[in-house]
Amino acid sequence: MTGLDELLSSAVQWIGSNLLVDTVRITLPATGDPVYNPDTGQNEYPPGDVLYEGPGAVLGDAGQSRITVAPDAGQMWVGETTSHYRLLTPLAAPIAPKDAIVTVVAVHNTANLALLGRSWTCQDPGHASTVEVVRTTPLDQNRDARST
């Protein structure tokens, strides 16, 4: 399957050069109790372990306008919606586990800073398939200050 291998290799190179142009960080969620920070006057959670920091991209889903909500057992209706984002990372990057936190720490285009300061939670582990050119991980945008 030399032809297929060459095609996939070319696709991996193109994606790395043209799509994975921002710097993303994948961390495990913080554990433990918050610690008082006298400089800010706030209780802050310790940082989680960094699993990966390198080339990547966060993309909104093509069907982003759809809203998914589910009733909560204790309430008539949940107060937040599920957002549909995807994390793209090189195949050499570790597979992001469920509940890992993703942030964009640098953008390639300084005129577009909308990704900075946001965080996302991995909804499931990174996808795997027989034929891959990029790793895809489903994300949900965080709205809770603790997760950022």
Side-chain angles (χ1 to χ4, degrees):
M1 298 185 88
T2 303
L4 177 60
D5 291 340
E6 290 173 6
L7 179 64
L8 293 176
S9 178
S10 295
V12 168
Q13 289 177 6
W14 187 91
I15 288 169
S17 298
N18 295 285
L19 292 179
L20 306 180
V21 293
D22 293 334
T23 303
V24 299
R25 181 181 298 146
I26 302 171
T27 57
L28 293 175
T31 57
D33 294 329
V35 177
Y36 179 74
N37 181 340
D39 295 334
T40 64
Q42 301 291 319
N43 286 331
E44 298 174 357
Y45 287 89
D49 294 332
V50 176
L51 298 176
Y52 171 77
E53 184 168 328
V58 173
L59 305 174
D61 189 15
Q64 187 107 12
S65 61
R66 72 177 170 221
I67 297 174
T68 304
V69 293
D72 187 3
Q75 300 175 347
M76 292 185 59
W77 200 254
V78 68
E80 293 188 17
T81 60
T82 300
S83 50
H84 300 276
Y85 288 85
R86 290 172 289 150
L87 170 66
L88 302 181
T89 52
L91 296 175
I95 295 174
K98 182 179 180 341
D99 298 327
I101 305 298
V102 174
T103 54
V104 177
V105 296
V107 292
H108 73 287
N109 182 352
T110 56
N112 183 9
L113 302 177
L115 292 173
L116 299 176
R118 295 183 186 191
S119 69
W120 294 264
T121 299
C122 297
Q123 294 174 325
D124 288 307
H127 294 163
S129 77
T130 302
V131 178
E132 292 181 307
V133 293
V134 67
R135 179 157 293 116
T136 305
T137 305
L139 300 176
D140 184 25
Q141 185 173 325
N142 293 320
R143 293 160 190 86
D144 177 8
R146 182 203 186 290
S147 301
T148 58

